[in-house]
């Protein structure tokens, strides 16, 4: 009898324990599905990694758009001196970076956010997709956007379809953001704006203006309508440096600093030397460090900076390692914690061009131009802006490569416009001033200057000295520039019908000399 009572007692005790088995046996340090959903962790954790991939590194940024915009140049004769910088394509990887690290996770997080009703996170991801794909398209032209994530051989969007989709998506994104400026869901995951939705709305609206100006020559009616919508939208634009969109480096070193100081593969460009020294531009000391060997700057000892010509004839890397590096402050992750993506100065220059094009709400071209220059000087902490804007005589200087024999790598500057605004100039001269200053102010992010150089012909940068283009990737005639990048090999091999359709939409051969949709080759006005 005692044994029976004991057995019943044990059974009852075990039953009581199993009633709370899950509670008593849960690891308090384990991440559960419920805890992931608290504070939006299950969706928000995607965003820092996506944003951090907007900029490429050496082979998908520095040796492409940094080179073609001529902000930086390499001393290194990669692959025997015949490579991207001399118009022979060796590296073409930005596509994979953006699709693998932004488009794919964005699709995943959008599905999760839609299922949970988190519309704000859906539209945040959609905005990041536009930030990314608006850059990828300036490499290739037609890209996969509307049909991303479908199975089989995927169809590309033509560029006209793509920009139409961008603008439609921005309508929805801006409407959602402007209606929810008090939303706090982004706070934990937003290293750029600290969760301030109103600033994300300004970025989205500024992107509309950027894209409208980009297509202003090829689709003037669409561009004007979209540009005027951006200028009139009550959410506003990025018009103060406090609203600038900077992409956090998340504790990592500034990309160009690693390339410059650790690998010795990038230096000041000769175009920067020519323009900044010629214009007596004090931003030079914020961008670059002076040389220690004064023999390199015998032609301008008061401005001891020396750059490398893009597309130069190079023999040995050591020849030009003592040319100007970027400023040493960029090598300190504690001082440089982010990368500039969209600034108030760019918005002012966009508005200045919009004014030249007669867009309602743009204001006066001169006021916008000078505001853009002032915002850039303020951002970089440079002095002397008043004298700079009043200078109507200084011009970019000619370039001499002190490490090359004779005239090798030398050039005569093609720029004949001064900094000071002259209201009697024609629109073409005014546009050259605007785009040249926009080019300088965009230091740290050379993507849009590369677009502008193709779209407008400005600044009038030197052509590459060594042009190795050939039938493999297409021929660039002397006195012309590389216009695009070929479709990537992974797509050529894995999606051949899609690439064939994309090439037809491109309107020319899949070569580096084929102009993109907005690069019309026609007059600017």
């Amino acid at each position: 009898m005692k044994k029976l009572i004991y057995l019943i007692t044990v059974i009852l005790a075990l039953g009581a324990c199993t009633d709370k088995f899950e509670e008593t046996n849960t690891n308090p340090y384990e991440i559960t599905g419920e805890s992931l959903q608290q504070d939006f962790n299950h969706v928000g954790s995607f965003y820092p990694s996506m944003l951090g991939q907007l900029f490429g590194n050496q082979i998908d940024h520095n040796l492409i758009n940094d080179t073609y915009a001529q902000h930086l140049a390499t001393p290194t004769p990669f692959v025997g001196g015949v490579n991207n910088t001399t118009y022979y394509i060796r590296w073409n990887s930005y596509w994979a970076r953006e699709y693998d690290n932004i488009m794919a996770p964005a699709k995943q997080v959008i599905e999760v956010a839609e299922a949970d009703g988190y519309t704000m996170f859906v539209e945040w991801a959609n905005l990041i997709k536009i930030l990314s794909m608006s850059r990828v398209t300036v490499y290739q032209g037609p890209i996969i956007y509307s049909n991303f994530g479908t199975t089989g051989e995927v169809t590309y969007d033509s560029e006209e379809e793509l920009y139409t989709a961008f603008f439609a998506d921005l309508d929805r994104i801006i409407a959602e953001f402007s209606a929810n400026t008090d939303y706090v869901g982004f706070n934990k995951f937003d290293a750029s704006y600290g969760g301030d939705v109103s600033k994300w709305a300004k970025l989205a609206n500024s992107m509309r203006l950027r894209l409208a100006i980009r297509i202003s020559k090829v689709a003037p009616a669409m561009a004007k309508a979209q540009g005027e919508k951006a200028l009139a939208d009550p959410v506003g634009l990025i018009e103060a440096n406090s609203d600038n969109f900077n992409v956090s480096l998340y504790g990592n070193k500034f990309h160009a600093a690693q390339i410059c100081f650790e690998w010795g593969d990038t230096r000041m460009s000769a175009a920067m030397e020519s323009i900044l020294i010629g214009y007596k531009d004090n931003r030079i000391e914020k961008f670059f460090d002076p040389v220690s060997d004064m023999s390199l700057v015998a032609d301008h000892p008061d401005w001891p900076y020396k750059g490398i010509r893009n597309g130069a004839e190079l023999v040995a890397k050591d020849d030009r390692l003592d040319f100007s590096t970027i400023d040493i402050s960029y090598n300190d992750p504690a001082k440089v914690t982010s990368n500039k993506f969209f600034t108030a100065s760019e918005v002012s220059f966009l508005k200045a061009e919009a004014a030249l094009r007669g867009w309602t709400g743009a204001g006066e071209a001169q006021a916008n131009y000078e505001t853009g220059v002032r915002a850039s000087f303020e951002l970089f902490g440079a002095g002397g802006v008043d004298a700079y804007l009043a200078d109507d005589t200084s011009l970019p200087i000619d370039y001499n490569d002190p490490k090359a024999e004779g005239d090798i790598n030398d050039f005569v500057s093609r720029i004949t416009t001064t900094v000071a605004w002259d209201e009697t100039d024609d629109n073409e001269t005014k546009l050259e001033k605007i785009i040249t200053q926009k080019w300088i102010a965009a230091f740290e992010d050379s993507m849009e200057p590369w677009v502008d150089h193709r779209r407008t012909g400005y600044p009038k940068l030197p052509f590459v000295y060594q042009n190795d283009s050939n039938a493999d990737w297409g021929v660039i005639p002397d006195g012309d520039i590389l216009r695009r990048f070929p479709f990537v090999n992974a797509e050529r091999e894995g999606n051949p019908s899609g690439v064939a359709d994309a090439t037809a939409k491109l309107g020319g051969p899949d070569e580096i000399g084929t102009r993109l949709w907005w690069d019309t080759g026609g007059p600017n006005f």
Side-chain angles (χ1 to χ4, degrees):
M1 185 66 178
K2 290 182 179 178
K3 290 183 179 179
L4 179 59
I5 293 172
Y6 174 76
L7 180 58
I8 293 171
T9 302
V10 170
I11 291 170
L12 290 173
L14 287 173
C17 288
T18 57
D19 284 346
K20 297 184 178 181
F21 179 83
E22 183 175 355
E23 178 182 333
T24 58
N25 289 277
T26 298
N27 182 347
Y29 304 107
E30 182 180 23
I31 298 176
T32 65
E34 183 180 354
S35 65
L36 278 174
Q37 292 190 41
Q38 294 173 358
D39 298 328
F40 309 104
N41 285 314
H42 68 305
V43 289
S45 58
F46 284 78
Y47 290 82
S49 60
M50 288 193 294
L51 288 165
Q53 295 296 328
L54 287 170
F55 287 91
N57 206 320
Q58 184 172 30
I59 63 172
D60 46 19
H61 186 81
N62 180 252
L63 291 171
I64 299 181
N65 41 285
D66 274 351
T67 290
Y68 302 137
Q70 298 194 30
H71 277 184
L72 300 172
T74 185
T76 310
F78 294 106
V79 199
V82 178
N83 53 62
N84 286 28
T85 70
T86 65
Y87 292 171
Y88 189 86
I89 306 306
R90 302 286 188 184
W91 314 288
N92 186 8
S93 61
Y94 192 63
W95 171 288
R97 183 187 189 99
E98 298 302 282
Y99 279 98
D100 291 349
N101 297 295
I102 294 182
M103 288 296 280
K107 180 178 184 296
Q108 183 180 354
V109 75
I110 286 171
E111 290 172 353
V112 174
E114 285 179 336
D116 289 341
Y118 297 153
T119 306
M120 287 289 285
F121 277 92
V122 171
E123 300 303 0
W124 194 17
N126 280 323
L127 176 56
I128 294 170
K129 285 168 55 179
I130 293 173
L131 300 179
S132 170
M133 293 296 106
S134 66
R135 291 159 79 89
V136 173
T137 184
V138 306
Y139 281 74
Q140 268 95 25
I143 60 170
I144 299 168
Y145 183 72
S146 301
N147 296 314
F148 178 78
T150 58
T151 58
E153 294 185 324
V154 184
T155 303
Y156 287 51
D157 292 282
S158 71
E159 291 176 88
E160 185 173 8
E161 293 169 337
L162 180 67
Y163 285 88
T164 300
F166 285 159
F167 291 131
D169 288 348
L170 286 169
D171 284 340
R172 192 185 62 253
I173 293 164
I174 293 169
E176 184 69 21
F177 285 2
S178 62
N180 294 279
T181 54
D182 58 349
Y183 187 72
V184 297
F186 297 170
N187 292 14
K188 285 177 57 178
F189 316 104
D190 177 11
S192 297
Y193 288 137
D196 188 335
V197 175
S198 65
K199 292 189 176 184
W200 283 103
K202 287 182 180 181
L203 170 63
N205 198 38
S206 300
M207 280 298 298
R208 186 194 298 280
L209 183 58
R210 175 191 277 181
L211 298 177
I213 285 290
R214 189 186 289 178
I215 65 168
S216 57
K217 287 171 61 177
V218 69
M222 180 194 295
K224 186 173 189 289
Q226 293 296 328
E228 290 181 346
K229 183 184 288 189
L231 292 163
D233 198 307
V235 303
L237 297 159
I238 297 171
E239 296 190 89
N241 284 325
S242 57
D243 290 335
N244 288 352
F245 176 54
N246 301 317
V247 177
S248 176
L249 297 173
Y250 300 102
N252 296 312
K253 187 176 290 188
F254 184 69
H255 289 154
Q258 182 180 44
I259 301 165
C260 181
F261 296 108
E262 294 182 24
W263 305 337
D265 285 333
T266 200
R267 291 291 185 269
M268 179 186 195
S269 73
M272 277 283 184
E273 176 190 335
S274 170
I275 293 171
L276 296 180
I277 292 177
Y279 282 155
K280 301 179 177 63
D281 193 321
N282 289 330
R283 286 172 290 185
I284 195 170
E285 65 182 30
K286 307 300 181 179
F287 297 171
F288 303 105
D289 277 350
V291 297
S292 56
D293 180 357
M294 292 299 291
S295 70
L296 299 175
V297 292
D299 51 340
H300 48 74
D302 292 340
W303 294 80
Y305 300 87
K306 177 53 64 177
I308 300 170
R309 183 171 181 174
N310 294 92
E313 179 182 299
L314 303 173
V315 178
K317 178 175 180 175
D318 288 349
D319 289 345
R320 294 171 182 79
L321 285 179
D322 50 359
F323 285 28
S324 289
T325 64
I326 62 173
D327 186 76
I328 190 63
S329 64
Y330 282 101
N331 202 38
D332 185 350
K335 293 180 179 178
V336 179
T337 60
S338 61
N339 205 146
K340 297 174 182 64
F341 188 102
F342 212 132
T343 65
S345 61
E346 181 185 345
V347 169
S348 293
F349 295 128
L350 291 169
K351 290 172 66 178
E353 181 173 347
L356 293 184
R357 298 189 181 283
W359 293 2
T360 301
E364 297 296 325
Q366 178 177 356
N368 285 315
Y369 169 78
E370 293 180 350
T371 297
V373 174
R374 290 183 184 281
S376 178
F377 270 69
E378 175 190 80
L379 181 60
F380 288 102
V385 68
D386 290 337
Y388 184 80
L389 284 169
D391 189 345
D392 60 359
T393 58
S394 298
L395 292 170
I397 62 173
D398 299 338
Y399 173 78
N400 172 68
D401 184 346
K403 296 290 186 176
E405 296 291 334
D407 294 333
I408 293 174
N409 298 332
D410 297 349
F411 65 81
V412 174
S413 173
R414 300 189 297 126
I415 298 174
T416 57
T417 57
T418 63
V419 172
W421 188 267
D422 184 345
E423 192 56 38
T424 65
D425 285 336
D426 59 22
N427 276 357
E428 200 66 53
T429 303
K430 291 174 181 176
L431 182 64
E432 182 176 0
K433 289 177 184 283
I434 292 166
I435 299 300
T436 301
Q437 287 301 319
K438 187 180 176 187
W439 177 87
I440 299 169
F443 186 71
E444 291 188 26
D445 183 17
S446 55
M447 191 72 77
E448 213 58 28
W450 181 33
V451 171
D452 285 336
H453 184 46
R454 289 175 284 170
R455 176 177 69 89
T456 68
Y458 303 130
K460 291 181 180 176
L461 301 172
F463 300 111
V464 298
Y465 183 82
Q466 182 176 317
N467 182 344
D468 292 312
S469 64
N470 62 31
D472 290 351
W473 300 109
V475 175
I476 303 298
D478 291 340
D480 200 357
I481 61 174
L482 181 144
R483 299 287 170 179
R484 64 178 290 274
F485 260 51
F487 295 117
V488 297
N489 286 336
E491 280 290 298
R492 290 179 173 193
E493 296 165 4
N495 185 17
S497 65
V499 170
D501 179 61
T503 303
K505 291 172 177 173
L506 180 63
D510 181 18
E511 295 179 352
I512 61 175
T514 299
R515 292 177 181 269
L516 299 185
W517 183 54
W518 40 262
D519 177 12
T520 66
N524 286 306
F525 297 97

